[in-house]
Each structure stands twice: as C-alpha cells, then as structure tokens.
Amino acid sequence: MTTSTATIMGYERANGDIGIRNHLLIIPTVICSNQVCSRIAQLVPDAVAIPHQHGCSQIGSDKDRTFDVLAGTGKNPNVGAVLIISLGCEVVDPVALAEEIKKTGKPVEWFDIQSAGGSVKAIQHGADIARRLKAQLDAEKKVPVPLSKLKVGVKCGGSDATSGLASNPALGGAADALIAHGGGIVIGETTEIIGAEHVLAERCETPETKEKLYEIVDRFEKEVERMGADMRGGNPSPGNIAGGLSTIEEKSLGCISKCGTAPIRGVIEYAEDIPEGGLYFMDSPGNDIECVSGMAAGGAHIVCFTTGRGTPTGSAVVPVIKITGNRRMFERMSDNMDVDVSGMLTGEMSLEEAGDAIWKEIVEVAGGKLTKAEILGHQEFSINRIGPSL
C-alpha cells in the first residue's frame, strides 16, 4: 500500500501541527449556553458547535474531564479558531479554557451570556465575533503538509459477524500502511478488548505499557462490579447479538484486528494527547460518540469507523470514514457508508486489496474529500462522564 506522495494538502498550525480541516469551533462551557452556541453556528456558515450536558455541578476528576475534553477539542489541529461561550456562573472556567486552547497559537475569544444581557444579545454579539473569526479562516490557504503527521483513530460500532471477518482486518491493513508512512494510529474501546487483552498485551513495547493495559481493563471491570451490574446485554449489545456475535470475547478478538500488527508504543488516558507516530491505546468506552469525541480531543485528524449493522454518526471536528463488510447493509444505507470491503467474503477482494481501498480513502479524505457523515452534517459530540451530578 503506497501513495505517490509523502504530502497532502492541509493547514499549517502555529505550534507545528497540521490540520486537514479548518473549522471555526463554538464551545459552550456549560449546558446552559448550548442554545446560544447552536444558534450562532446556524447563523455563520460552516461554524461548528458542540452542545453537551456538562460544565456545572461537577467536582474533582469529573470536572477535570469535562474541561480536558472541551480544551482538547478546541486544540484539535482540524480547528482553526475558537469562540467560547459561558453562562457566567458555572464550574468550567472560560478564561482557563481559553488560555489552554491559546497555547496552540490559534485565535480564541470568549464572553458570557449574563454579561452580554441574555440570549438574544449574546447571539447577536457571538455571531459578530464568529463572522470575524470565520473571515480570518477563509483567508488561509492550504499548503503541502507531511502525511507522516497524520493521526487516525480506529473504531467499530454496530458490529456484526462481518466486522471481525472483513472490515476490521482490512482496516488493520490500512493502519499498518499509515504507520509505515510515519503516521499514528490510536485504538480505544476498553470494554471491547476484554477477553482479548492478553493478545494486545503481548504486543506492548515495554513492561510498563503492558502493565498499564492490564490496569485499565481491571479498573473497568471493578467499576462494573461496584455497580452490581453485568456487561451482558450492554456489550455485546442486542444488535451485536442479532448480527451473529455471541460473546464479548468473540467481539473483542474481531475488534482488536482493526489496529493492524504494529507494536503498542503506549497506553493513554481518555482524551489525552496522542503522540506522533506508531500505535497507541486510549482508555475509552465502547460508546460510539464518547469514544470518537475522546479521540478527537486527543488530536486525531480522522476516525475510521467499521460497522456491520450500520450507523450514521459522525463527529464535530474530525471526518469519520464509515467502512463495512456487509454488502446488504452497504446498499441499504448507502447514504452513510464510505467504503465497502464485502468483496473479502465473496472472494472478489483480497485482504490486501481491501486494506488498500481503505488506505486510499484515508489519503483522499485527509486531502479534502468529504465523508458521507460530513456531507450530511453529522456532528455528534459527547463527553464520557466519571461521577454523579451534585
């Protein structure tokens, strides 16, 4: 799997990062400012808002996680400028959030609704700021940027038997190709390596990395025990079971094939910065939106998302490429699917050819091609929560 050039067309960032999109991101610090942010995004073409349910009545590590995910999303290299909108009395500090995102060198502005005089005045004020920031972004030109800077998340959701047999192994081939070009891959979904964690552990580069991988699995299992719950029925989900997956171990063995064959260089926490080059594991839930949002907050440029049952979901700031090995679903949900590798199951396509098709799509999307989720405006965003509301 090769590409004719080691560069793609993208945006150079002040801190040395490269972006493959140039979003104006509007961040509500708290659920109370969601509507104002959403209305501003509707008034300013191509602006993106990330409404969420958090930002207040949180303490400790839970409050820190909300801050980290909002900051990481603003720092994502696909974001060119940020407008933060606060209510004025919440837990998440808008000044600290703005300062953290400004470390990247991108323009960041903020204001609060209470000082602006209410929702209508805040929308008017925010739209003026957003239009000015958007004009700055529109003046920026794409330049050649190194493909080796690219970071791609690999994710599966709405899985069926074809996921482990076709689309996940094919994505693994594309993951190996990106790493061979110097790029980075991050795999997540701690819940979906259970029963196969020993396989990934043997691929860890250091004893410390292996120990941390086992540690995050143990941490999750103890949390399920604390709740007095049983994973069955939640994972595999009813849809997974209807699609032919009978156990979490069966699902996990198919799931881990999507990250290819490279050694695991490190294990990182949810939304933590993804290092450049090589394969990393991010502790994250199997929940599709929370997992993808964590990868985006960690700095992923693209997420490749395999599915056998079908799902339309996308992301606020990163293109999500939908890949399937289920031909009937691909035809039924062609509005949402980007790559069909079902030929692997009929003998029409080899594993290498399927991986090559995904690799080609990654390079084209990195160069500006829109995914189906982008075309349809799927901008889902969700923060994985730790503790209860106060």
Side-chain angles (χ1 to χ4, degrees), residues 173-384:
D176 285 342
L178 178 60
I179 290 173
H181 280 80
I185 293 289
V186 62
I187 180 174
E189 301 177 284
T190 305
T191 55
E192 298 183 12
I193 67 167
I194 291 174
E197 65 267 33
H198 61 289
V199 179
L200 287 182
E202 292 306 310
R203 291 170 52 185
C204 292
E205 282 191 341
T206 66
E208 293 77 16
T209 300
K210 178 187 289 190
E211 183 180 346
K212 188 166 184 183
L213 185 71
Y214 280 128
E215 177 188 316
I216 64 171
V217 172
D218 182 63
R219 185 168 66 191
F220 173 78
E221 290 178 331
K222 284 179 177 174
E223 180 62 16
V224 174
E225 288 176 10
R226 185 192 67 79
M227 295 171 63
D230 189 329
M231 279 184 60
R232 288 173 295 183
N235 206 345
S237 69
N240 296 154
I241 294 167
L245 298 174
S246 61
T247 65
I248 185 60
E249 291 84 0
E250 184 178 31
K251 184 178 181 182
S252 294
L253 287 167
C255 174
I256 64 175
S257 67
K258 64 180 179 282
C259 69
T261 59
I264 298 173
R265 301 185 67 179
V267 175
I268 59 178
E269 296 292 338
Y270 182 75
E272 185 179 346
D273 288 346
I274 303 164
E276 288 189 4
L279 174 62
Y280 293 85
F281 187 92
M282 176 180 284
D283 181 23
S284 63
N287 178 277
D288 294 342
I289 312 305
E290 290 183 2
C291 179
V292 173
S293 297
M295 290 175 170
H301 296 93
I302 294 171
V303 170
C304 289
F305 190 131
T306 64
T307 180
R309 301 279 296 178
T311 171
T313 54
S315 169
V317 299
V318 302
V320 176
I321 299 172
K322 289 292 174 54
I323 304 155
T324 189
N326 185 325
R327 181 164 296 174
R328 283 182 294 180
M329 190 278 291
F330 180 84
E331 292 170 352
R332 186 173 67 251
M333 294 188 66
S334 59
D335 288 349
N336 305 106
M337 298 295 113
D338 296 291
V339 183
D340 177 16
V341 294
S342 61
M344 285 181 63
L345 302 178
T346 59
E348 302 165 83
M349 181 182 279
S350 67
L351 174 59
E352 183 177 355
E353 289 170 335
D356 216 5
I358 297 172
W359 170 242
K360 179 182 177 183
E361 189 75 8
I362 290 171
V363 174
E364 290 182 354
V365 168
K369 178 182 178 181
L370 297 180
T371 65
K372 295 287 185 68
E374 288 181 288
I375 292 168
L376 293 172
H378 280 283
Q379 298 174 351
E380 287 78 11
F381 175 79
S382 182
I383 300 171
N384 176 244

Side-chain angles (χ1 to χ4, degrees), residues 85-155:
I85 302 176
S86 159
L87 174 59
C89 57
E90 63 272 27
V91 165
V92 172
D93 183 347
V95 177
L97 185 61
E99 290 304 314
E100 181 62 27
I101 298 172
K102 282 181 181 178
K103 291 177 181 178
T104 62
K106 66 186 66 174
V108 182
E109 299 197 27
W110 79 275
F111 70 91
D112 70 81
I113 296 168
Q114 291 169 348
S115 297
S119 293
V120 174
K121 293 182 182 67
I123 292 168
Q124 292 170 336
H125 180 58
D128 289 341
I129 297 172
R131 291 188 184 102
R132 172 166 48 79
L133 291 171
K134 186 64 172 60
Q136 294 175 23
L137 295 182
D138 289 344
E140 295 178 3
K141 303 297 183 184
K142 282 188 171 184
V143 297
V145 295
L147 186 65
S148 59
K149 289 269 192 179
L150 199 64
K151 300 175 185 178
V152 173
V154 293
K155 167 83 179 79

